[in-house]
Amino acid sequence: MSKPPGTRQSIIDAVLRIIGEDGVAGVTNRRIAKEAKVSLGSVTYHFTTQHEMLRESLLHFVAEETRRLTELAAQCQTDGMDADRAAATVGQVAWGTPFDSRHIAPFELYVQAGRDERLRTAATQCFAAYDQLAARILTGLGVPDAERLASTAVALVFGLQLRSLATGLPAEELVDAIMLLARGAQHA
């Protein structure tokens, strides 16, 4: 039986849900306390500023996402890579992240990092993990200069995910776009 999350983690989880539902503007101490089922004093005890709360929420997401992506990157390195495996891995990254409020929150936090440079280090850490996985996939496919192209592949994935989120349409073309990029790079 797993132990219930502590107060601090409950607050972070609530912040991510709220941001995913109503954006950063929806984050208030009263709403966090209600969502996390903690006292209002607990919120201010654990986080003295909203910036600290946003930063810790983004860092928590980054830690979880980095762990997941690092595991996938390690599997790519040990299991080998071909076009089918690359497509499956890209699909796992793209569709392994459901667009519920908890997974919409990072998009909001990345935009907030554009406004608040204090959040940029956390955002940079997450993108570095995405880049590492993309570089492993592209290297496995025999793409020359995979490290240089990794950030482009990540940008393509994020752009298509954001498009899917904004339109409500599935990002089915995501795997095709990544494979097109990989094939084009192989012949460049």
Side-chain angles (χ1 to χ4, degrees):
M1 186 167 157
S2 68
K3 148 179 147 173
T7 302
R8 187 175 179 88
Q9 186 60 50
S10 294
I11 292 168
I12 288 171
D13 290 341
V15 168
L16 289 171
R17 279 192 308 275
I18 293 166
I19 292 171
E21 290 170 7
D22 294 323
V24 173
V27 176
T28 66
N29 287 355
R30 288 190 191 287
R31 184 157 177 208
I32 294 164
K34 182 179 177 184
E35 286 274 331
K37 297 178 176 60
V38 300
S39 70
L40 185 57
S42 290
V43 174
T44 56
Y45 172 78
H46 286 281
F47 299 99
T48 56
T49 66
Q50 187 178 51
H51 162 72
E52 180 188 1
M53 202 175 339
L54 292 175
R55 184 180 153 281
E56 290 299 315
S57 297
L58 181 57
L59 285 172
H60 174 72
F61 173 80
V62 165
E64 285 182 348
E65 193 71 348
T66 300
R67 180 191 49 74
R68 181 174 82 93
L69 295 173
T70 302
E71 288 173 6
L72 281 172
Q75 287 173 0
C76 290
Q77 195 167 14
T78 58
D79 296 347
M81 187 60 56
D82 61 18
D84 290 336
R85 176 116 172 94
T89 303
V90 170
Q92 191 174 353
V93 171
W95 293 293
T97 305
F99 285 122
D100 59 15
S101 64
R102 183 169 166 78
H103 292 89
I104 293 172
F107 284 96
E108 290 277 345
L109 286 167
Y110 295 143
V111 169
Q112 188 66 23
R115 294 183 190 109
D116 183 348
E117 67 184 46
R118 298 170 297 178
L119 295 175
R120 290 186 187 149
T121 300
T124 299
Q125 290 172 347
C126 195
F127 279 103
Y130 283 114
D131 289 350
Q132 177 188 25
L133 177 59
R136 292 254 172 93
I137 291 170
L138 294 171
T139 298
L141 290 171
V143 173
D145 212 5
E147 295 284 331
R148 186 179 62 80
L149 292 173
S151 63
T152 301
V154 169
L156 180 60
V157 169
F158 266 78
L160 289 170
Q161 283 182 316
L162 189 57
R163 180 180 178 164
S164 177
L165 174 65
T167 62
L169 299 173
E172 292 169 346
E173 70 274 4
L174 184 59
V175 172
D176 292 338
I178 294 298
M179 297 310 292
L180 179 64
L181 175 69
R183 282 192 291 276
Q186 286 172 324
H187 300 294

